[in-house]
Structures are given as C-alpha cells and as structure tokens.
Amino acid sequence: MTQPRRGRSEAGRAEVRRELVAAAVAQFTEHGYDETTVDAIAAAAGVGRRTFFRYFRSKEEAISPDHTAGLARVADVFETAHPSEPPALVALRAGETVFDLYTEDPALSVARYRLTHQVPALRDRESASVDHYRRLLTRHLRKRLADDPDGDLRAAVVGAAVVAAHNLALRTWLAAGAPADGIDAMIAKYRRVADMLPVEQPSLAAVTERLEAAVDRLEQRPPA
Amino acid sequence: MTQPRRGRSEAGRAEVRRELVAAAVAQFTEHGYDETTVDAIAAAAGVGRRTFFRYFRSKEEAISPDHTAGLARVADVFETAHPSEPPALVALRAGETVFDLYTEDPALSVARYRLTHQVPALRDRESASVDHYRRLLTRHLRKRLADDPDGDLRAAVVGAAVVAAHNLALRTWLAAGAPADGIDAMIAKYRRVADMLPVEQPSLAAVTERLEAAVDRLEQRPPA
DNA sequence: GAGCCTAACGGCACGGAGTGCCGTTAGCAA
DNA sequence: TTGCTAACGGCACTCCGTGCCGTTAGGCTC
C-alpha cells in the first residue's frame, strides 16, 4: 500500500494503527472474516505480519473498537460523582459518555457493527467487551449501595439494565446506518431506561402516588 | 487411562465425553489452562487428539457446560406460557429452570466456576454464553410486549435484569462452594429481582404525561 | 457363527494464529 | 558524524482446528 517505513514516531504509530483497522475492515467485508489472514491485512497496510501483533493482540481485536477510553470515562464519572446523587443516575450519566466512541466515526462504526453481527467469533468477542462495561458499572454501583440490604442484587440489575439500554439504542442507530440526525433519538431512547430502573428510596411509586392524589384533589375542587 | 476402545455405542460416547470433561478440569486446575494442550487432555482420557474435536468444537468448550438443554427449556417455557401471564414473570420462571444444570453436579460446577473466573479466555467465553440466554429472553419478551410503545426497551431491560440476577445468585452460591442447603437461598435471591422489574409500576413517562395533562386542564380553568 | 454395514476412531498432514528471538534500521540527540 | 533507542520484519516454533482416509468395533442379517 505504501513504501516500507521503519522506526516510527508516536504519530506514525497512530497512523499505522488506523491503516491496519481500515485494511482489516475492508478485507473482512470483501472476502469474509475466516478467509482473510493476518498476513493479508498486514500486507494491505504495508507492514509485516509480526508488526500486526504489536498493534493488536489477536485477529479479532483489529475489528473491535478500543474500549480503554470508554472504560476510563465510566470509572471517572463514578469517582467524581457526588455521594448524594442517586446511584442509578450516576450509572446513566456514565453510560452516556460512551456514545462518543461510536459517533466520532459513524461509517467505521457501521462497518464494524455489520461485521460483528454476522461473524460468530466477532459477536462473541463483542459480548465479552460489553460484559466488561457491565461488570465495571456493577462494581461501582455496589459500592454506592453498600447500605442497601439487597444492594448487590440492585447493583447487578441496574448495571445490566443500563448496559442493555445503551446497546439497544446504539444498535438501533447503527442498524439504521448511523444518521447524524438520529443521535438525539438514540440518546433519548437510552435515557428512557431511567423510568424502568429500580430507584432507591424514596420510592418512585410512593412519590407519584402522592402527586397523583394531590392533582386529583385539585381537579375535583369546584371552580369559583 | 483405559484400554483402547473403538466403535462406541451411544452410552459409550456419553462416557467418553464425561472422561474428557473430567480430564480437562483436572489438567487445567493442576497445570493451568494455557499450559495444558488438547493432546494432553485426550491422552488422559484415553482417546486420540482427533477424537477430542469430535466431542468439542474447541479447547474452551471442554470446560464450559453444554447449554443446549438450558436454552431449550427457556424457549419451551415461553412457548407454553399463557398469553395473559405478565411477560416478566414468564422470564423469571424460564430463568429458574436453568439452575438445574448447575445443581445436578455441584462439585463439577464449582470446579468450572473457579477455572472460568481465573482464565480470561474462559471468562470471555462464559460472557458469550450468558449473552445467548439474554438474547433469547429478550427476543421472546419483545414478542410479548409488541403493543407496548417502549416494548423493545422494556424487553431488553427485563431480559438483562433477569439474566443478571440469575448469574449473581448462581455465582454467590458457587463461590460459597455450592452447599446443598444453599440452593433455596440462591433461588430466593434470584426471585427477589421481581421487585425490581419495570412491569408492575406504571412508567415514569406515563405518570408524567398524566400529571401534565391534569395541570393543563387546571390551567385552563379559572382558580377557585 | 460367518459375513456385512455403519459409525466411530486415530493417524496424518496442512493452514493459520500467536509468540519469542534477534539482527536491522529509522529517527533523534549530542 | 556518531551513538542511542525504539520500532520493525523475518524466522522458527508451538499449538489449535480441520479435511481426509484407512481401520476397527459392534450390531444386524441370514
């Protein structure tokens, strides 16, 4: 693809990485995942096979996004959130910061999405990646729910629910071709999970009940 | 381990399978997962390397339980459940039928659990397996929530929550050594997720809508 | 009980993933 | 110009997973 390059700077490494990802996506899409060898990807990116494995730990990793930044952001939101903020809402905010990883390069995200959903090996790897987020959320939630007798269960449920909503919203958007004017709808859909979360005291049901009763009383008041 | 055997009956195949699983668990536990080759497992079970791959698709599969039966049971519960039963409760019942796969042979389940949680490759495979259950639940739930405007989101949340609760209860039990007198507590913990599922309560959005409508009506009426 | 049929077995060989090792080279600094 | 460092690429190796094929056990028929 290009001339032989040796001895790269940091910027050079980032460029090589992008070329490897692009080559992998192109080859997988065109010839199929199993039919594409690491040799072919490396050659298409103009580097040696050995170098490929200095950028990715495995063939699958070339296609899955780097979640280092996403996981770091999630952890950061939890560590800087005020102790009084409801844990479920912290989790919700944390999840929202991860959308950026996909909206930055929609075309690449869509290509990855399509490959991931038709190659079993990539799908399984994706499941594992998603589970890392779920575990991270659950761990932080459990810390914040330490005084709840069912805190571990609530943390597991909220963590899993937030991740599930995130993925549903994200995949719906990706399946539609990742339109720029669909990002707001994606986030709105994701936020709607808040209505389904088991919110801690005061009970949501109790609050709404009281509000509804108050409104009902107002409505039944005879007009002047 | 035994004499060379050739040409097995169906019962013979089941026995060979058990021996391979036992050999894999023993070797992985004693020498580590990466250090154990498929050759060694096959030899310990008294069969050839080629035969190993007639029983398992991969080295990892020798350690992970066969979920065929579990997935079939879940599907069966959904297909035979009465249409009027709340979807979340169907999911809850479906998940409960899967505990049997682990309580049948507690010692083996504990050995698998320990290996799975200290070998990254096995952990990732486990995540993928769990995700298959989640997807199955979500798919069936979505069908039963077709008339709910947020049915897909609710299905995703309930499915993920049920699976998360199942795994938390199961792992807690396994981590404690899978005591026979802990099975009831495991199931009780799992069932407690029902209190956190977004089905009984009206959604916050619905309540908000009603409140806003009521306020609108009040505003259009002269004060008392 | 002799012969046949089917299914499982084991060995062989091959391609490809992933890794340790090492000589080489680009880019930078003194 | 010289020396240092980090990245590169080739080589060789192990092991996983699979197609192929000859062989054999166990059951069935007559």
Side-chain angles (χ1 to χ4, degrees), chain B residues 46-186:
Chain B
V47 299
R49 198 181 88 93
R50 192 64 187 81
T51 297
F52 174 92
F53 286 107
R54 288 201 174 87
Y55 286 85
F56 305 101
R57 271 184 300 220
S58 69
K59 179 180 172 185
E60 297 151 6
E61 204 175 295
I63 210 65
S64 61
D66 182 12
H67 286 120
T68 314
L71 291 166
R73 281 191 212 169
V74 169
D76 186 65
V77 168
F78 269 97
E79 280 152 16
T80 59
H82 194 275
S84 70
E85 186 177 0
L89 296 187
V90 182
L92 203 69
R93 282 201 300 116
E96 203 163 322
T97 66
V98 183
F99 285 116
D100 292 5
L101 293 183
Y102 298 88
T103 53
E104 269 181 11
D105 191 338
L108 177 59
S109 296
V110 170
R112 278 170 164 158
Y113 166 78
R114 289 186 181 147
L115 281 168
T116 301
H117 278 256
Q118 62 193 33
V119 179
L122 298 178
R123 184 195 278 260
D124 284 358
R125 179 157 205 89
E126 171 76 0
S127 295
S129 287
V130 170
D131 204 46
H132 290 161
Y133 281 102
R134 188 193 58 75
R135 284 206 297 271
L136 181 62
L137 283 176
T138 302
R139 206 180 316 136
H140 278 105
L141 283 165
R142 193 167 41 217
K143 272 196 289 185
R144 286 182 173 251
L145 291 167
D147 49 345
D148 184 331
D150 268 331
D152 57 344
L153 184 57
R154 181 160 282 113
V157 166
V158 172
V162 166
V163 167
H166 188 281
N167 274 358
L168 175 64
L170 182 61
R171 289 179 186 186
T172 304
W173 178 67
L174 289 172
D181 61 356
I183 294 181
D184 289 346
M186 169 177 71

Side-chain angles (χ1 to χ4, degrees), chain A:
Chain A
M1 183 149 284
T2 55
Q3 310 78 331
R5 295 160 302 184
R6 297 184 159 194
R8 299 170 209 293
S9 60
E10 194 167 341
R13 276 187 68 83
E15 190 194 333
V16 171
R17 187 189 172 86
R18 274 195 304 274
E19 280 187 29
L20 280 169
V21 169
V25 170
Q27 301 272 325
F28 290 165
T29 302
E30 190 172 356
H31 304 111
Y33 178 77
D34 288 331
E35 289 70 26
T36 302
T37 65
V38 172
D39 268 294
I41 300 170
V47 299
R49 197 182 88 94
R50 191 65 187 79
T51 298
F52 175 93
F53 287 107
R54 288 200 173 88
Y55 286 85
F56 305 102
R57 270 184 301 226
S58 69
K59 181 181 170 182
E60 298 149 7
E61 203 175 296
I63 210 64
S64 60
D66 182 12
H67 286 120
T68 314
L71 292 167
R73 282 191 212 168
V74 168
D76 186 66
V77 168
F78 269 98
E79 281 153 15
T80 60
H82 195 274
S84 71
E85 187 175 0
L89 296 187
V90 181
L92 202 71
R93 282 202 298 118
E96 202 162 321
T97 65
V98 181
F99 284 117
D100 292 6
L101 293 184
Y102 300 87
T103 53
E104 269 181 9
D105 191 338
L108 178 59
S109 296
V110 170
R112 278 170 163 158
Y113 166 78
R114 289 188 180 145
L115 282 167
T116 302
H117 278 256
Q118 62 194 31
V119 179
L122 298 177
R123 184 195 278 261
D124 284 0
R125 179 156 205 88
E126 173 74 2
S127 295
S129 288
V130 169
D131 205 45
H132 290 160
Y133 281 102
R134 188 194 58 75
R135 284 207 296 272
L136 182 61
L137 281 176
T138 301
R139 204 180 317 136
H140 278 104
L141 283 166
R142 194 166 42 219
K143 270 195 291 187
R144 284 180 175 252
L145 291 167
D147 47 347
D148 183 331
D150 268 330
D152 57 346
L153 184 57
R154 180 162 281 113
V157 166
V158 172
V162 166
V163 168
H166 188 280
N167 275 358
L168 175 64
L170 182 62
R171 289 179 188 183
T172 304
W173 178 66
L174 290 172
D181 62 357
I183 295 179
D184 289 346
M186 169 176 72
I187 296 178
K189 187 184 192 90
Y190 165 70
R191 284 184 180 155
R192 228 167 294 155
V193 74
D195 303 342
M196 308 178 185
L197 258 28
V199 176
E200 305 73 42
Q201 49 182 309
S203 152
L204 176 62
V207 171
T208 51
E209 207 170 296
R210 287 175 55 192
L211 280 172
E212 284 182 299
V215 172
D216 284 346
R217 279 196 302 277
L218 281 173
E219 282 182 334
Q220 283 160 13
R221 184 173 47 173

